[in-house]
Amino acid sequence: MHCELFRLDSEQRIRTANPQPAAAWRISNYSAQLRLAENLTPSRGIQPGAHISSGRENTNVETSYFSRPIPLRLIVLLTLAIHGPLLAMQLPLTNSYDANFHVFFASHYAHHWFDPWNPKWFAGFSQTTYPPLAHQWIALLSYILGLHTAYLLVQLAGILLIPVGVYRFSRLWVSERASSYAALMSVFLGAVIFLVYFAGQLPTTLSAPLYLLALPYFYDWSRSADGRGLIKGVVLTLAAGAVHHVTLIFGSLLFAIPVLWLAVVDRGEERNAAAVITRALIFAGLAGAGLAIVLLPYWISIIRHPIEQMPIPHASRSNLLLNLTYLTNYFFVPYGMLIIAFPFAAWYGAANRRLRPLLLGFWITFIFALGGTTPVPKWIFGRYFEILTFERFTLWAALMVLPIVGFMAEQMIDRHRTRAVIGFSFAAIATLLLPMAWMAVTPFSPNANTNVDAVDSFLNRDGHDRYRYLTLGFGNSLPKVSTYTDANSVDGEYNSARLLPEFTHYGTAQLTSAKYFGTAGMEALRMMLRHANHYGLKYIFIRDSYYEPLVNFAGWRKVESYNADAITVWSKEDVPPARPIPSDAMPTALEGLLWGTLPLGSSILAILFAFMIPDRARVRSDIVLPFPAPEEEGVLIRGAW
């Protein structure tokens, strides 16, 4: 039997497998209208999940598993299943560039919570030059778990927050189901793998999801004056800013502007665009005032000592098209299979009015992430271009495009079902495995896995810590030495905190890797050796024989060796004990008190508000759809028996 139902007033044909009475058809159609009405809210207009078309519409209820959103808790569990073992293997601590640097900062807070002046690097520097929240949480947890486990736990918290933040951010743009796909893809994101396990950028990967969690509240407040959104959004912004300054200054704007644009687009006819923008400015003003107070010692330090040193080369600022290794490291590895999705994301984003602000924000961030490949970042940032590193922009661009890719996945799965699921699964796994494979073959080596126990043992005995020391050829193992000894060094890893002229007058980063910075690096090392008596520099630990002739010529003599001569100790006899180097960068006691209380307090407030202040319920609009009367229906039933 074959039956067709025609509705004359809508001129729309609905095919069904079996014939239905007219009344049953009206009930089915009325239920479909109610499902559509559920996607209409007074605060957001048409939700991304409400697909309205003027042509043929299928009103059959989908019961396939593929048609349902993936529960967020399952995505978080998958994140834990993937990243938990990798962190348990301590890959960031043994394989990344910056993980031990953050452990070093945390160790100082663990011993001197209210004194941010750290004498262990650069003959003394202020840790108020770097927002402290991530380091302070590591320090707190280290009292129970130890520094390394505490670091891994804080990093795990940041990783688990990423899919949650992506989901909430995506719900501003696309349906619940597409948002769940975007959150699932964030678990496999190459940029996250790269930054966590190779770059070791804990603050970047922790602050980004905090901002993503704050953006829906910014939207709610700007669009509909939701007071709870204002409070929770501002507090989350304070916590995110207390984690990372670069994400605060640059990343927050790149994400917030498209969201503000969306709030204006979704304002509805009854609301004024000027009111939406005014509320957004109120949010920005409150957040700015709060950040000015919470990070007051940071602002004081950068105003008192702005970064005016010679530019230090960094591969992310290069023209990636001229170097295949750099292109692989900063483009192919972080994006992975997302590169194939970019043209389609541009097509889908441009075709959907609500996605256009997000698409524009993504492309701007994407261009910034290319570093020196285009002149745009240098034009926009000016002198700050020589200070920034651009791998974090890659993470922001990837997070920003995920809602559009999730929308694409929803459309493709609706059309191709199992084939689309297999294709996206393969792409996700390939995106995850690519950075892991790259870490095994990359020519970039942080040397973070060097055993430095013998070095620490030497410095901690026989009064050797009365003198300053220098390491050469240790790479990113220098923070491991500094964390577990009381001795102080003239070198260090944090470029923005250096005030010694031997560093600021030359375009070099760490002296321990001086040879990799060419003439500038070796000249900076010569100047430091020449001024050894001034700084009390008596001991030099060498892990690369390249430096031995220079050190020998400057008057040092080899006194010990460790690890089968892999590390040698050199000493100079006429060096006096080290003395404190006067500096106007030393924070006051009040700055230390603010630094030890306000950033941590902002995160505690954010946690409390998350549980104590419930989110506003998404009240569905009371749209009354009149039940069609029989005389209004105009149904023609034609049957073929």
Side-chain angles (χ1 to χ4, degrees):
M1 180 185 298
H2 182 70
C3 181
E4 294 179 343
L5 300 179
F6 291 85
R7 182 178 178 180
L8 298 179
D9 59 349
S10 65
E11 297 182 1
Q12 188 174 42
R13 184 176 62 185
I14 301 178
R15 298 177 184 262
T16 60
N18 300 296
Q20 300 182 57
W25 178 88
R26 287 195 298 269
I27 294 173
S28 174
N29 192 49
Y30 182 70
S31 299
Q33 294 181 59
L34 286 179
R35 288 196 299 272
L36 177 61
E38 287 180 351
N39 285 309
L40 300 175
T41 67
S43 63
R44 290 196 181 185
I46 298 175
Q47 286 286 9
H51 302 292
I52 301 178
S53 61
S54 58
R56 183 181 300 169
E57 183 177 356
N58 182 12
T59 60
N60 292 335
V61 178
E62 295 287 351
T63 59
S64 167
Y65 180 81
F66 293 147
S67 66
R68 289 176 265 167
I70 303 172
L72 184 58
R73 61 182 179 274
L74 294 183
I75 299 174
V76 173
L77 288 175
L78 177 62
T79 308
L80 180 62
I82 292 175
H83 290 274
L86 296 176
L87 291 173
M89 295 166 61
Q90 300 194 4
L91 285 184
L93 295 169
T94 59
N95 194 71
S96 73
Y97 279 90
D98 291 345
N100 289 303
F101 158 79
H102 297 300
V103 171
F104 168 71
F105 266 49
S107 71
H108 178 79
Y109 290 122
H111 293 90
H112 310 281
W113 188 272
F114 293 105
D115 183 11
W117 182 256
N118 192 334
K120 289 189 176 184
W121 281 356
F122 310 122
F125 76 102
S126 175
Q127 289 194 184
T128 60
T129 53
Y130 202 114
L133 185 54
H135 306 139
Q136 289 177 342
W137 273 108
I138 296 172
L140 278 178
L141 295 174
S142 71
Y143 296 137
I144 303 173
L145 304 173
L147 283 169
H148 286 179
T149 304
Y151 171 88
L152 297 172
L153 188 60
V154 173
Q155 180 63 87
L156 178 62
I159 293 173
L160 294 177
L161 284 175
I162 287 176
V164 179
V166 168
Y167 176 82
R168 287 184 54 82
F169 176 69
S170 298
R171 287 294 288 125
L172 296 176
W173 308 94
V174 294
S175 68
E176 181 181 5
R177 181 174 156 220
S179 299
S180 70
Y181 292 157
L184 179 63
M185 293 174 191
S186 71
V187 178
F188 302 90
L189 203 58
V192 174
I193 302 293
F194 177 81
L195 290 177
V196 171
Y197 301 107
F198 189 63
Q201 294 191 13
L202 167 64
T204 299
T205 53
L206 178 58
S207 60
L210 291 176
Y211 277 115
L212 292 179
L213 292 171
L215 288 170
Y217 298 117
F218 171 64
Y219 172 92
D220 288 339
W221 161 253
S222 299
R223 191 181 182 284
S224 56
D226 178 19
R228 285 174 287 189
L230 175 65
I231 295 173
K232 298 178 75 170
V234 168
V235 172
L236 275 170
T237 302
L238 298 183
V243 172
H244 195 225
H245 51 307
V246 178
T247 308
L248 164 66
I249 298 171
F250 299 100
S252 60
L253 288 176
L254 292 171
F255 280 95
I257 292 175
V259 172
L260 174 58
W261 186 348
L262 179 67
V264 173
V265 170
D266 288 350
R267 70 187 185 278
E269 296 180 358
E270 72 280 4
R271 295 186 178 92
N272 192 322
V276 175
I277 296 174
T278 300
R279 286 191 290 269
L281 292 176
I282 292 173
F283 186 102
L286 292 175
L291 289 166
I293 297 172
V294 170
L295 296 179
L296 181 61
Y298 170 78
W299 306 119
I300 292 174
S301 66
I302 64 171
I303 292 173
R304 186 182 297 164
H305 293 284
I307 301 175
E308 296 177 343
Q309 57 188 319
M310 290 287 292
I312 301 170
H314 194 274
S316 67
R317 302 189 203 110
S318 307
N319 185 338
L320 303 183
L321 298 178
L322 301 180
N323 189 305
L324 181 59
T325 300
Y326 293 169
L327 182 66
T328 303
N329 196 67
Y330 295 108
F331 185 77
F332 293 126
V333 166
Y335 290 125
M337 298 298 286
L338 277 178
I339 298 172
I340 298 176
F342 287 161
F344 301 97
W347 175 269
Y348 278 89
N352 190 310
R353 179 171 176 259
R354 296 188 78 261
L355 292 178
R356 289 171 192 165
L358 183 63
L359 177 65
L360 181 60
F362 159 68
W363 280 114
I364 292 174
T365 309
F366 176 77
I367 291 172
F368 287 159
L370 295 176
T373 307
T374 73
V376 175
K378 197 164 189 177
W379 291 345
I380 300 295
F381 298 131
R383 63 179 295 267
Y384 295 103
F385 175 81
E386 303 293 345
I387 301 173
L388 292 169
T389 60
F390 290 90
E391 66 274 17
R392 55 182 55 91
F393 286 83
T394 306
L395 173 66
W396 302 338
L399 294 175
M400 203 173 292
V401 80
L402 282 180
I404 304 178
V405 178
F407 177 70
M408 291 168 46
E410 182 183 39
Q411 302 299 309
M412 296 294 291
I413 292 173
D414 282 343
R415 291 184 181 182
H416 304 289
R417 295 299 188 186
T418 304
R419 286 184 297 171
V421 172
I422 293 174
F424 278 102
S425 300
F426 171 79
I429 294 173
T431 301
L432 172 71
L433 295 180
L434 179 59
M436 303 301 294
W438 175 247
M439 285 189 289
V441 300
T442 177
F444 301 104
S445 178
N447 290 328
N449 199 27
T450 303
N451 188 335
V452 298
D453 293 344
V455 176
D456 286 329
S457 177
F458 177 89
L459 290 172
N460 290 333
R461 74 171 192 259
D462 301 332
H464 294 161
D465 57 359
R466 295 186 299 121
Y467 302 89
R468 293 192 174 96
Y469 69 94
L470 177 66
T471 61
L472 296 175
F474 277 64
N476 295 90
S477 289
L478 169 61
K480 295 171 64 177
V481 177
S482 304
T483 299
Y484 298 104
T485 182
D486 294 328
N488 302 327
S489 177
V490 292
D491 199 5
E493 276 203 353
Y494 184 37
N495 299 335
S496 299
R498 310 178 311 171
L499 297 177
L500 299 181
E502 291 82 1
F503 289 98
T504 58
H505 292 175
Y506 302 93
T508 185
Q510 304 90 353
L511 292 179
T512 191
S513 303
K515 75 175 186 179
Y516 296 105
F517 296 93
T519 302
M522 295 306 296
E523 189 61 27
L525 177 57
R526 290 189 187 95
M527 290 299 101
M528 183 58 70
L529 297 180
R530 184 178 300 175
H531 302 151
N533 286 7
H534 172 71
Y535 293 114
L537 174 57
K538 183 178 180 68
Y539 301 111
I540 299 178
F541 301 88
I542 299 179
R543 191 176 170 270
D544 186 343
S545 59
Y546 175 88
Y547 299 100
E548 291 186 358
L550 175 61
V551 170
N552 187 28
F553 181 79
W556 273 261
R557 298 293 177 264
K558 183 163 63 173
V559 294
E560 290 188 26
S561 63
Y562 307 116
N563 301 346
D565 290 334
I567 298 175
T568 57
V569 186
W570 299 68
S571 175
K572 190 177 182 183
E573 295 303 325
D574 59 345
V575 176
R579 57 183 178 81
I581 304 297
S583 175
D584 62 347
M586 186 176 296
T588 64
L590 177 59
E591 291 176 33
L593 178 63
L594 296 176
W595 201 244
T597 54
L598 296 184
L600 186 66
S602 69
S603 67
I604 294 175
L605 274 180
I607 295 172
L608 291 177
F609 286 173
F611 292 100
M612 296 176 60
I613 303 179
D615 290 347
R616 184 187 64 176
R618 303 298 179 194
V619 181
R620 301 298 181 186
S621 61
D622 297 324
I623 298 179
V624 178
L625 298 176
F627 198 94
E631 61 272 12
E632 297 175 348
E633 196 58 38
V635 176
L636 174 64
I637 303 180
R638 294 188 306 180
W641 289 271

